[in-house]
Every structure is written in structure tokens, then in C-alpha cells.
């Protein structure tokens, strides 16, 4: 795999894999963790998630500015790993949430998330810049695309393993305390502790049934049981953040001891600045205007792709918890499907593009992005039709059903395998190719800014993620998937209408 690749690629990939492993542990559980620990509504939890996820990309711009100003990319990367480690340490402390400490504990949790987002901003883009520098050597220039594909695969290796960690530790800790896992019980426990006598008869009956199911006794003090179950349930998740801390420290160690063999992007930046004169910039003014118009057109499409795709951490994660049988596989684990598919499908997609090119049927980057939006639409077509045919109501109505009735209506995991297959193929058509388009269309003296704009578009898409859970809980869930379907199809249509213009700009 690493044949003909620069020596620095492996340590850079390993540093990134460790960081991504820690990050994906947290990402897999965040929305569900906020609900189970603090009793937040799914809409509120998704809103926090949206701001957190958007912050990662917005703060990548800040991290790039800091590295540019200090001319210390490696030091900025190390600082990012340290800041992230602090955030995960705070999250790993198992403090039980009560009415008395609710406000300051939730505030502390949000501060920890900010540390993780800010540290990621210091780390993410600057490490990618260093990897890019490895291929400025003419000896390795032809291997740039394959090098970044290897780098991307290592990211997803961490992503495949990480979602298993939190559910495994949570189930272990529940078992150590004589309890069993149930995805619906934390919400009922929070409801009982907050309203007690005002709880609906149906929900109270559901609570009694689930208490018996997980190993409790209906005759015991219900308030005491609910508090104990929530404490044990969430403590197991807190322990998973210790694994994130360990992953950060491994990445930090690898990078610290191998950084001498890695280049410094600052040297390249200085050289490029000298090459471009004010006269050259003035002569390129018309071309720059056209290129930037093309860039912003594609960024608009990217916003709606990430808005649809990153529902895997919000409404799709809630769907896996509520409507999919999780007897043997807990809902967070299904997020491993996406990185798993990335690893196995990337070579196939590369082969497909290569085979078409050999036959003289080269697909332009803008057209590939349009196809990717169509593939994302197929994922939501499938899910909308399936949920409508199954007669699924809104999630709020579904969760109020008696446990036996709800269990009979739940689907098998095959639905998630099909869904994430289409979403992942769409990702492979859009995410790396979007970066390629940006690098092609960006003016020479604005490469950094344009890459930052791509991250900014991703951030805007992430800011909209809360909309998914809002519709998911308020309407029959097929309506939520139809909204995302419409977003994908409209974006595909607009992209196809612009393809010829975008192809002329990038020629």
C-alpha cells in the first residue's frame, strides 16, 4: 500500500487515525448521550450537536490562520491534540446530573465540546496541509491522489472501530451492576423523575414493564431505581471517553516523535507568495471572478449535501434507536457502517472512474458531484418508501406505544445496510471530489481561502442538522426523509443545469 509513497505518510496517517478514533467514539454517542444524561429533548440535543459539528469546521479556519501567522504548523497540531485531550478528560468524569447541578454540568459539558471542536480546528486542516507538502517533491507528485486516498482510508479505519467502544463499555458497566441495556428506558426515567404523578398511564405502564425487563423490581422505589439506572447507564458512556483520551495521547506521541521527518507548509507559502506579483493578480481579475462564482455555486450544493448526509449523527441515529431492533446491536454501532463502506467501496469507485477514463468516457468532477446528490437522494427514496409502507407514525407517537406493540413494528437492521450503502457511495462522489474541484478552480494565490470556504460550507450544512429531529418527532417519519429527498433532487437538478459552465471554468 505504501509503495512509492513518501515516508512521512504512514506516521501522519497513524496520527490522524488515532485522533479520528477518539472523535468517532464521541460522535457516535453525543446526541443520545445528551438525551440520556440530562433528559434533554432530542431537538435540543440535536441543536447542540449541530453547533458542535459546525464549530469543528469553522474553527478549522481559525486553526489555519493561527498556523499561518505563527508559521508553526507542527506546534499548532500538537496544541490541537492537547486541547482535544483536555476536552475528552472533562467528558470522561462521571458526575450524576441532578436538578441542583443540571445547569453548571451541562455548561461544563458544552465547554468540553468546545475544547474538542477548537482542538480539532487546530489539528485537522494543518495536518492535511503537511500531507499535501509531502507530494510537492517531484518524486512523489504522481502519487498525490493515491496518497490522500490512503490517508482517507486510515481515517475510516478509526471510524469503523470507534462506534463499538461506547456501547460495549456501557453494557459492561450495566451488567456489573446487575442491569441490562434498553434504549427507551432513560427517557422514561427522566420523565418519571421530573413529573412523577403527572406521568401518563401509558408511559407509566411502559416504565414498569421496562424496569422488569432490565433486571429491576416494580415493588422497589421507582424514583430510586430511575436515578440508579440513569447513573449506571451514563457512567458507562463516560468510561468510553477515557478511550478517546488514550487515542489522543497515542496520536500525540506518534506525531511528536515523527514530526522531524515531516515538511513545514510555511516554506511553501513563502515561495508561492514571491511567485505571484500584483500585475499578475490584476491580469487574472476576470478569470478570478468567474472561478469564484463557480466555486460559490458548488459550495451551495455542498451545504445541502452535508445537511442531508450528516443526519447520520442526528435523525438517522435516532431512527436506529427507535425503529430498528437493537437486541444484539445497539444503535450507536450502526454508524460504523459508513466508514466500513468507505474502506471497501473506495477501490471500486476508483476502478470505475479509471475504467471509464480508459474507454474515453471521462466523467467531469461537476457531473460526478451531481451524480452523488442523486445517489444521496436514492438513500432517502428508499427510506421514505419503506417507512410509509410500514405505516410508521412520528417518533413521539411511536415511543408512546406499549413496548410489545412497538417491538413488533420495528424493522431489521437490513434497512440500515441499504441506507448507508447509498449514502456512502454518494459521499465518495462528493466529498473527495469536492476538494478536488476546489483545488482546480481556486486561483493560485487564494488556495488556502478557498479550501477554508469549503469547510465553511460544511459548517453551514451542519448548522441545519437540528431540522431533521424536529420533523422526525413532529410528523410521520417518512415526511422527514421526503424533505431530505427533495433537497437532494433539487440540488442535483441545479448542479446538472450548471455542469457545462462549470466544466468550461475548470478546463
Amino acid at each position: 500500500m505504501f509503495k512509492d509513497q513518501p515516508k512521512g505518510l504512514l506516521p501522519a496517517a497513524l496520527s490522524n487515525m488515532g485522533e479520528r478514533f477518539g472523535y468517532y467514539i464521541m460522535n457516535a454517542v453525543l446526541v443520545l448521550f445528551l438525551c440520556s444524561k440530562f433528559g434533554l429533548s432530542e431537538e435540543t440535543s440535536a441543536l447542540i450537536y449541530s453547533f458542535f459539528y459546525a464549530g469543528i469546521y469553522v474553527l478549522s479556519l481559525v486553526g489555519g490562520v493561527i498556523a499561518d501567522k505563527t508559521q508553526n504548523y507542527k506546534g499548532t497540531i500538537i496544541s490541537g491534540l492537547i486541547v482535544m485531550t483536555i476536552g475528552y478528560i472533562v467528558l470522561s468524569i462521571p458526575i450524576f446530573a441532578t436538578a441542583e447541578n443540571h445547569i453548571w454540568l451541562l455548561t461544563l459539558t458544552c465547554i468540553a465540546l468546545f475544547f474538542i471542536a477548537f482542538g480539532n480546528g487546530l489539528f485537522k486542516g494543518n495536518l492535511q496541509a503537511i500531507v499535501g507538502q509531502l507530494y510537492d517533491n517531484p518524486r512523489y507528485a504522481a502519487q498525490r491522489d493515491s496518497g490522500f486516498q490512503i490517508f482517507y482510508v486510515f481515517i475510516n479505519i478509526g471510524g469503523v472501530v470507534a462506534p463499538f467502544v461506547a456501547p460495549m463499555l456501557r453494557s459492561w458497566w450495566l451488567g456489573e451492576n446487575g442491569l441490562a441495556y434498553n434504549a427507551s428506558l432513560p427517557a422514561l426515567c427522566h420523565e418519571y423523575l421530573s413529573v412523577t404523578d403527572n406521568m401518563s398511564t401509558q408511559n407509566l405502564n411502559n416504565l414498569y414493564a421496562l424496569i422488569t425487563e432490565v433486571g429491576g423490581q416494580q415493588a422497589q422505589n421507582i424514583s430510586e431505581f430511575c436515578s440508579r439506572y440513569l447513573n449506571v447507564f451514563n457512567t458507562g458512556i463516560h468510561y468510553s471517553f477515557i478511550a478517546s483520551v488514550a487515542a489522543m495521547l497515542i496520536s500525540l506521541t506518534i506525531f511528536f516523535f515523527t514530526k522531524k521527518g515531516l515538511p513545514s507548509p510555511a516554506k511553501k507559502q513563502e515561495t508561492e507568495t514571491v511567485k505571484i506579483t500584483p500585475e499578475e493578480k490584476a491580469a487574472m481579475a476576470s478569470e478570478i471572478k468567474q472561478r469564484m462564482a463557480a466555486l460559490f455555486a458548488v459550495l451551495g450544493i455542498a451545504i445541502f449535501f452535508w445537511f442531508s448526509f450528516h443526519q447520520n449523527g442526528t435523525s438517522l441515529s435516532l431512527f436506529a434507536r427507535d425503529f430498528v431492533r437493537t437486541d444484539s446491536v445497539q444503535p450507536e454501532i450502526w454508524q460504523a457502517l459508513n466508514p466500513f463502506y468507505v474502506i471497501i467501496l473506495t477501490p471500486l469507485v476508483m476502478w470505475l472512474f479509471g475504467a471509464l477514463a480508459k474507454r474515453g468516457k471521462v466523467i467531469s468532477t461537476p457531473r460526478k458531484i451531481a451524480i452523488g446528490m442523486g445517489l444521496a437522494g436514492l438513500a432517502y427514496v428508499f427510506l421514505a418508501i419503506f417507512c410509509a409502507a410500514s405505516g410508521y407514525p412520528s417518533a413521539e407517537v411511536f415511543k408512546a406505544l406499549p413496548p410489545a406493540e412497538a417491538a413488533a413494528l420495528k424493522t431489521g437492521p437490513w434497512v440500515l445496510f441499504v441506507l448507508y450503502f447509498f449514502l456512502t457511495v454518494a459521499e465518495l462522489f462528493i466529498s473527495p471530489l469536492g476538494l478536488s474541484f476546489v483545488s482546480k478552480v481556486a486561483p493560485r494565490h487564494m488556495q488556502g481561502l478557498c479550501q477554508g470556504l469549503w469547510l465553511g460550507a460544511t459548517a453551514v450544512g451542519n448548522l441545519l442538522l437540528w431540522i431533521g429531529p424536529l420533523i422526525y418527532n413532529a410528523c410521520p417519519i417518512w415526511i422527514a426523509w421526503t424533505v431530505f429527498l427533495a433537497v437532494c433532487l433539487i440540488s442535483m437538478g441545479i448542479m446538472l443545469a450548471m455542469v457545462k459552465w462549470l466544466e468550461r471554468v475548470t478546463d
Side-chain angles (χ1 to χ4, degrees):
M1 180 185 291
F2 289 93
K3 184 180 180 182
D4 299 325
Q5 299 290 343
K7 292 181 180 179
L9 179 62
L10 179 59
L14 290 173
S15 298
N16 202 68
M17 185 176 73
E19 181 275 329
R20 290 286 88 184
F21 174 80
Y23 169 78
Y24 277 115
I25 290 175
M26 184 274 305
N27 186 59
V29 304
L30 182 56
V31 169
L32 302 181
F33 170 68
L34 291 172
C35 292
S36 65
K37 183 171 180 67
F38 297 103
L40 299 179
S41 68
E42 290 164 3
E43 293 85 355
T44 302
S45 296
L47 188 62
I48 293 173
Y49 178 91
S50 298
F51 278 99
F52 166 71
Y53 220 146
I56 288 174
Y57 291 91
V58 171
L59 292 170
S60 291
L61 295 175
V62 178
V65 170
I66 291 173
D68 285 340
K69 292 291 185 181
T70 62
Q71 300 288 283
N72 186 6
Y73 285 76
K74 296 174 185 177
T76 304
I77 289 171
I78 291 173
S79 297
L81 289 168
I82 293 172
V83 171
M84 278 189 283
T85 302
I86 294 171
Y88 285 120
I89 288 173
V90 173
L91 287 182
S92 69
I93 302 172
I95 303 173
F96 181 58
T98 65
E100 290 73 25
N101 68 11
H102 184 277
I103 294 177
W104 72 258
L105 187 56
L106 180 57
T107 301
L108 181 65
T109 300
C110 290
I111 291 172
L113 292 175
F114 172 78
F115 270 69
I116 294 169
F118 183 52
N120 203 289
L122 295 172
F123 174 87
K124 186 180 180 71
N126 292 318
L127 182 63
Q128 291 175 350
I130 282 180
V131 172
Q133 282 284 302
L134 292 171
Y135 295 91
D136 285 345
N137 186 331
R139 177 183 174 185
Y140 302 113
Q143 304 301 322
R144 182 182 294 269
D145 287 349
S146 61
F148 270 98
Q149 287 157 356
I150 293 170
F151 188 73
Y152 196 63
V153 165
F154 268 74
I155 291 174
N156 285 280
I157 290 174
V160 166
V161 178
F164 290 86
V165 174
M168 178 184 69
L169 290 174
R170 180 178 57 205
S171 293
W172 164 75
W173 190 241
L174 284 166
E176 287 292 307
N177 287 271
L179 298 168
Y181 169 79
N182 184 279
S184 302
L185 187 51
L188 291 172
C189 288
H190 276 294
E191 184 179 354
Y192 184 86
L193 291 173
S194 62
V195 301
T196 311
D197 295 335
N198 294 322
M199 193 171 185
S200 69
T201 302
Q202 183 61 67
N203 283 356
L204 192 60
N205 290 335
N206 292 349
L207 175 62
Y208 287 148
L210 292 179
I211 287 175
T212 303
E213 183 179 312
V214 302
Q217 300 293 327
Q218 291 189 16
Q220 70 186 104
N221 184 299
I222 301 302
S223 293
E224 181 180 324
F225 173 85
C226 288
S227 295
R228 177 170 177 262
Y229 189 82
L230 288 172
N231 189 23
V232 174
F233 187 96
N234 291 304
T235 296
I237 301 177
H238 280 292
Y239 288 161
S240 70
F241 295 129
I242 297 175
S244 293
V245 173
M248 292 300 106
L249 294 176
I250 291 171
S251 283
L252 179 60
T253 301
I254 292 172
F255 186 81
F256 183 81
F257 286 103
T258 61
K259 63 186 179 70
K260 288 185 178 179
L262 296 172
S264 172
K267 295 177 181 178
K268 177 185 176 184
Q269 185 67 34
E270 291 169 1
T271 303
E272 288 184 344
T273 302
V274 172
K275 288 182 178 178
I276 301 176
T277 65
E279 291 76 14
E280 289 175 322
K281 291 180 182 179
M284 294 188 299
S286 177
E287 181 182 356
I288 289 173
K289 183 177 180 180
Q290 188 176 31
R291 284 175 173 265
M292 293 303 291
L295 175 63
F296 277 102
V298 173
L299 292 180
I301 302 299
I303 288 172
F304 293 108
F305 171 71
W306 293 119
F307 164 58
S308 303
F309 178 79
H310 280 155
Q311 291 298 318
N312 61 354
T314 53
S315 60
L316 292 178
S317 184
L318 297 173
F319 174 77
R321 182 197 66 185
D322 298 333
F323 289 90
V324 179
R325 288 192 292 273
T326 58
D327 302 340
S328 56
V329 181
Q330 296 176 32
E332 297 91 345
I333 291 176
W334 294 113
Q335 290 201 39
L337 280 176
N338 172 241
F340 170 75
Y341 277 140
V342 167
I343 292 170
I344 64 172
L345 293 177
T346 295
L348 296 177
V349 172
M350 292 172 58
W351 173 84
L352 173 64
F353 292 157
L356 289 173
K358 288 180 180 178
R359 296 181 182 180
K361 299 179 180 179
V362 178
I363 304 176
S364 68
T365 300
R367 195 172 296 276
K368 289 174 183 174
I369 293 173
I371 293 171
M373 291 304 301
L375 291 169
L378 282 179
Y380 286 110
V381 165
F382 160 73
L383 197 56
I385 292 175
F386 173 80
C387 292
S390 300
Y392 286 155
S394 70
E396 284 293 331
V397 172
F398 186 82
K399 287 181 287 187
L401 295 174
E405 185 178 342
L409 291 174
K410 289 186 177 183
T411 184
W414 66 271
V415 172
L416 297 176
F417 278 93
V418 176
L419 171 70
Y420 280 106
F421 172 82
F422 283 111
L423 283 178
T424 303
V425 177
E427 177 191 8
L428 294 176
F429 271 71
I430 294 177
S431 183
L433 296 174
L435 291 172
S436 174
F437 179 83
V438 172
S439 67
K440 289 178 182 177
V441 78
R444 284 191 300 158
H445 64 292
M446 300 173 68
Q447 287 282 338
L449 172 63
C450 292
Q451 291 291 343
L453 289 171
W454 174 264
L455 295 175
T458 307
V460 173
N462 291 337
L463 277 175
L464 302 174
L465 294 178
W466 59 272
I467 295 174
L470 187 67
I471 305 173
Y472 171 83
N473 280 308
C475 307
I477 59 173
W478 67 267
I479 295 178
W481 316 137
T482 302
V483 169
F484 296 121
L485 166 62
V487 167
C488 292
L489 292 182
I490 292 171
S491 298
M492 180 184 69
I494 294 173
M495 193 71 186
L496 287 174
M498 299 188 300
V499 159
K500 291 186 177 180
W501 167 54
L502 294 172
E503 288 174 343
R504 288 197 301 271
V505 172
T506 53
D507 281 346

